[in-house]
Amino acid sequence: MASTIEDVAARAGVSTATVSRAMRGLDGVSKRSRDKVLEAARELGYVVSPTAQALATGHTGMIAVIVPTFNEWFSANVLEGAQRRLQSAGRLTAVLSASAVRGRPDYDVDVVSLRRRIDGVVNVSLPLTDEETREVAGLGVPVIAVGNPSPPFASVSLADREAGRIATRHLVNLGHRVIAYISGSRDELEPNTPGGQRLEGWRDVLVEEGLEHGPDLVVNSFFDVRGGHDAVLELLERRPDVTAVFAAADMIATGAMVALSEYGLRVPEDISIIGVDGDDTDPWVQLTTVVQDPAEMGAMAADLLLQIIGGGAVPEMTLVHGRLRPGRTTARPRDPEAADASPRRPPRR
Amino acid sequence: MASTIEDVAARAGVSTATVSRAMRGLDGVSKRSRDKVLEAARELGYVVSPTAQALATGHTGMIAVIVPTFNEWFSANVLEGAQRRLQSAGRLTAVLSASAVRGRPDYDVDVVSLRRRIDGVVNVSLPLTDEETREVAGLGVPVIAVGNPSPPFASVSLADREAGRIATRHLVNLGHRVIAYISGSRDELEPNTPGGQRLEGWRDVLVEEGLEHGPDLVVNSFFDVRGGHDAVLELLERRPDVTAVFAAADMIATGAMVALSEYGLRVPEDISIIGVDGDDTDPWVQLTTVVQDPAEMGAMAADLLLQIIGGGAVPEMTLVHGRLRPGRTTARPRDPEAADASPRRPPRR
DNA sequence: CTGTTAGCGCTTTCAC
DNA sequence: GTGAAAGCGCTAACAG
């Protein structure tokens, strides 16, 4: 069943070297030989042994994609996009997940298991420790980061600061004057993280407009639905006069909306909310958001990797533009003038 | 940097054969030799070349997991569970996705790309065509299906019929008498699919109770939120007297609840609804559901595969029990007697 | 218990 | 344009 290169060579009446060249489409093979080889291979159902090929060349044809967890919109779609692109380039995708436990730093990125097995790595939004960075670099293969820039590796990510500007600009244009920003955990607001960059974008616009942008209006919590929920409650306590919220992600926005509803506030009548991502978590809500396309980013990462492997050079940082997608969760503020004057209903619970 | 078995052998003052044995923990090696080898390997930072090992043994140490798409609760969690288990067994997980396009039959399962690369396959709920089944079987490695039983391969799946009984029994116990079943596409209701089995479970209980279980009470649509939405509208048109709905999946239940709310019906006051899965799509809803654990199923599939690879035998079909998780979406029917008499409010849109 | 040696299936000089 | 032959790094008899 499993025929070898020798079988093909014998059948085609040529040497194994010629079969090897012909099968890989190298030139320096006469059309006649090539045809004979291809014909013989077809008849025998011959497929090159990737294993033997790898041993001989040192290239495995395999790319590893590392994700924090598979069950998450961004990672899953980056993986999807990367895997498709890699597959059509004739490569297999191996996967590694770091931790199923959200928010816990005890990742278990088993980098060693990748040694000598792969030709490149795509790291999807997993913040690497210095130790891990060294380990990954020690694999001796090119690495591309997606989502989080993670030096010294090249990266593909959303133009986060710009996304923050787009979102905030949208709210300002609608007439909002007191605009809050809610985001993931405090740790995430370091300047080089997506959350931190989106914060910068928010600030950019508010500064430009001469609007308030103090720490009062920034709330950090966890990067999930529950986090958004809690963040917005904290926000309302601090600043009951807020009329619009920019959430660093759609999940956060979703949690925020739940909390607002519990609080007795309507969206967008009483308060506007905008997110980032465009995952269609709940298509019925029609959240206004800044859309990004992780599958496309995964495909781009794959391309970059293949390019490096092919000996090319690639930009250190590839930024992908987000796009405003207006939904039903943002509107003009109800009564800009009297906003502070009319007290809101107290929480129902 | 990349030292070979010969380097280690030289350093340890033994032959490569001894190094090979020692590294793999085979017995027939003196403690003294073993220690010397391990020591030398450590000093050199030596890692066995999986490629060379594969070429020599015929085993690649790699398992492929095939999913319809990565961005879906069940698949993602099976993958997560399987990958973890495989990793701790020292194996790498390769992935293949079939189609990003839901509901389209033009899968592109590139089975050929797996030839000679893997030791086994886990197929996650991807219905295989006969052709594909032949191709996969032609890989010459063991296969385990998860989610959908898919002969002739062994499978791990939810005890779907039982899950249907659990859900329906719960509704009956609450006092419901007119209980509908809504599910995925018509194609899915063939007896051997999850949807079909859950239908059987529904019927089992209703027959047992002498309650109505005709085709009027069964609505098929698509296996997603939109599908649940549309299905429930169709149902209410056909049977305005229904007081409880068993949805074949939580996503379907979610869509159904949206439709009910649009229709002006409250859950669970006016109508009860129960699903299957226990994905926490929206933790705020607290959907009553029959929970399954796909990560655990993925781990089980991995174990079975490893067992077969190790020369063992495994059961043709492994059924995992679902567990009722009461939430806030089921309750006693409001007024069992007068249900038919009091007409409901018409749709608001 | 340990070493020798012949592969595993392909690629790649180096000659012709 | 083609072939012979030497690896790639490891495992698995087979001797000893």
Side-chain angles (χ1 to χ4, degrees), chain A:
Chain A
M1 194 63 211
S3 45
T4 75
I5 197 172
E6 294 212 41
D7 301 333
V8 179
R11 178 152 196 141
V14 299
S15 71
T16 61
T18 297
V19 174
S20 175
R21 295 181 185 114
M23 290 300 291
R24 285 177 298 158
L26 301 186
D27 43 33
V29 181
S30 68
K31 174 155 175 34
R32 200 159 153 287
S33 295
R34 184 182 305 278
D35 289 347
K36 278 191 304 186
V37 168
L38 263 30
E39 166 76 4
R42 208 183 44 65
E43 291 172 357
L44 265 45
Y46 169 73
V47 198
V48 177
S49 157
T51 302
Q53 199 163 30
L55 184 56
T57 62
H59 299 308
T60 61
M62 190 133 345
I63 302 291
V65 175
I66 304 180
V67 298
T69 169
F70 296 101
N71 187 25
E72 189 264 320
W73 177 78
F74 187 81
S75 302
N77 282 288
V78 171
L79 176 55
E80 183 96 39
Q83 193 268 326
R84 279 183 192 294
R85 185 59 55 92
L86 291 170
Q87 173 169 319
S88 56
R91 289 160 190 277
L92 239 194
T93 305
V95 292
L96 220 54
S97 74
S99 172
V101 185
R102 301 284 188 105
R104 283 188 56 187
D106 61 346
Y107 299 122
D108 182 16
V109 203
D110 185 10
V111 177
V112 173
S113 69
L114 298 178
R115 285 194 58 176
R116 307 215 204 183
R117 281 181 168 283
I118 54 166
D119 298 336
V121 174
V122 175
N123 173 27
V124 185
S125 66
L126 183 70
L128 258 28
T129 63
D130 288 353
E131 164 84 25
E132 287 168 343
T133 300
R134 227 172 299 118
E135 282 184 355
V136 172
L139 289 172
V141 299
V143 179
I144 301 280
V146 180
N148 283 346
S150 90
F153 309 125
S155 67
V156 176
S157 60
L158 178 66
D160 287 297
R161 186 165 184 168
E162 182 194 67
R165 282 197 293 262
I166 292 173
T168 311
R169 175 63 64 195
H170 172 69
L171 297 173
V172 166
N173 286 349
L174 284 171
H176 292 277
R177 292 295 170 261
V178 184
I179 302 172
Y181 174 68
I182 64 182
S183 177
S185 69
R186 232 160 282 276
D187 309 0
E188 258 215 287
L189 288 196
E190 287 160 31
N192 273 326
T193 62
Q197 286 293 300
R198 292 170 198 178
L199 170 64
E200 293 296 319
W202 169 81
R203 192 175 285 131
D204 288 346
V205 172
L206 297 181
V207 166
E208 213 172 298
E209 296 286 330
L211 295 175
E212 191 188 346
H213 56 274
D216 248 27
L217 290 171
V218 177
V219 185
N220 292 311
S221 184
F222 290 100
F223 208 91
D224 56 18
V225 175
R226 167 71 65 177
H229 175 269
D230 297 350
V232 109
L233 291 184
E234 190 178 333
L235 172 67
L236 288 175
E237 196 154 314
R238 299 216 292 241
R239 297 296 303 258
D241 58 325
V242 66
T243 69
V245 173
F246 166 33
D250 288 356
M251 299 218 61
I252 297 177
T254 299
M257 293 180 62
V258 172
L260 289 170
S261 137
E262 286 175 10
Y263 206 86
L265 294 175
R266 284 162 311 161
V267 173
E269 291 82 354
D270 298 320
I271 202 160
S272 282
I273 186 151
I274 184 170
V276 176
D277 275 348
D279 59 16
D280 292 287
T281 302
D282 191 342
W284 311 94
V285 170
Q286 294 199 32
L287 180 68
T288 299
T289 194
V290 179
V291 179
Q292 65 175 327
D293 184 349
E296 174 60 23
M297 293 164 75
M300 292 176 70
D303 282 338
L304 292 177
L305 213 44
L306 296 176
Q307 205 166 323
I308 299 178
I309 291 171
V314 304
E316 256 326 286
M317 189 169 285
T318 304
L319 293 181
V320 181
H321 298 292
R323 204 188 78 247
L324 177 71
R325 183 168 73 195
R328 302 196 295 204
T329 62
T330 49
R332 325 191 124 283
R334 177 182 287 291
D335 188 345
E337 307 300 84
D340 286 8
S342 64
R344 284 170 170 161
R345 274 180 283 171
R348 286 187 304 196
R349 59 180 83 183

Side-chain angles (χ1 to χ4, degrees), chain B residues 253-277:
Chain B
T254 300
M257 292 180 62
V258 172
L260 289 170
S261 138
E262 287 176 9
Y263 206 86
L265 294 175
R266 285 161 311 160
V267 174
E269 290 83 353
D270 298 320
I271 202 160
S272 282
I273 186 152
I274 185 170
V276 177
D277 274 348

Side-chain angles (χ1 to χ4, degrees), chain B residues 149-206:
Chain B
S150 90
F153 309 124
S155 66
V156 176
S157 59
L158 178 66
D160 287 298
R161 186 164 184 168
E162 183 194 67
R165 282 197 292 261
I166 292 172
T168 311
R169 175 63 64 195
H170 172 69
L171 297 172
V172 166
N173 287 348
L174 284 171
H176 291 278
R177 291 297 170 259
V178 183
I179 302 171
Y181 174 68
I182 64 182
S183 175
S185 69
R186 230 159 283 275
D187 310 1
E188 257 213 289
L189 288 197
E190 288 161 29
N192 273 327
T193 61
Q197 286 293 300
R198 293 169 198 179
L199 171 64
E200 293 295 321
W202 169 81
R203 192 176 285 132
D204 287 347
V205 172
L206 297 182

Side-chain angles (χ1 to χ4, degrees), chain B residues 83-250:
Chain B
Q83 193 268 326
R84 280 185 190 293
R85 185 60 54 92
L86 291 170
Q87 172 169 321
S88 56
R91 291 162 189 276
L92 239 194
T93 305
V95 291
L96 220 54
S97 75
S99 172
V101 186
R102 301 285 187 102
R104 283 187 57 187
D106 61 345
Y107 301 121
D108 182 18
V109 204
D110 187 9
V111 177
V112 172
S113 69
L114 297 178
R115 285 194 57 175
R116 307 209 200 189
R117 281 180 167 285
I118 54 167
D119 298 336
V121 174
V122 175
N123 173 27
V124 185
S125 67
L126 184 70
L128 258 29
T129 62
D130 288 353
E131 165 83 26
E132 286 168 344
T133 300
R134 227 172 299 119
E135 283 184 354
V136 171
L139 289 172
V141 299
V143 179
I144 301 280
V146 180
N148 282 347
S150 90
F153 309 124
S155 66
V156 176
S157 59
L158 178 66
D160 287 298
R161 186 164 184 168
E162 183 194 67
R165 282 197 292 261
I166 292 172
T168 311
R169 175 63 64 195
H170 172 69
L171 297 172
V172 166
N173 287 348
L174 284 171
H176 291 278
R177 291 297 170 259
V178 183
I179 302 171
Y181 174 68
I182 64 182
S183 175
S185 69
R186 230 159 283 275
D187 310 1
E188 257 213 289
L189 288 197
E190 288 161 29
N192 273 327
T193 61
Q197 286 293 300
R198 293 169 198 179
L199 171 64
E200 293 295 321
W202 169 81
R203 192 176 285 132
D204 287 347
V205 172
L206 297 182
V207 166
E208 214 170 299
E209 297 286 331
L211 295 174
E212 191 188 345
H213 55 274
D216 247 27
L217 289 171
V218 177
V219 185
N220 293 310
S221 186
F222 290 100
F223 209 91
D224 55 17
V225 176
R226 166 71 65 177
H229 176 269
D230 296 350
V232 108
L233 292 184
E234 190 178 332
L235 171 67
L236 288 175
E237 196 154 315
R238 299 216 292 241
R239 298 296 302 258
D241 59 325
V242 65
T243 69
V245 173
F246 167 34
D250 287 356

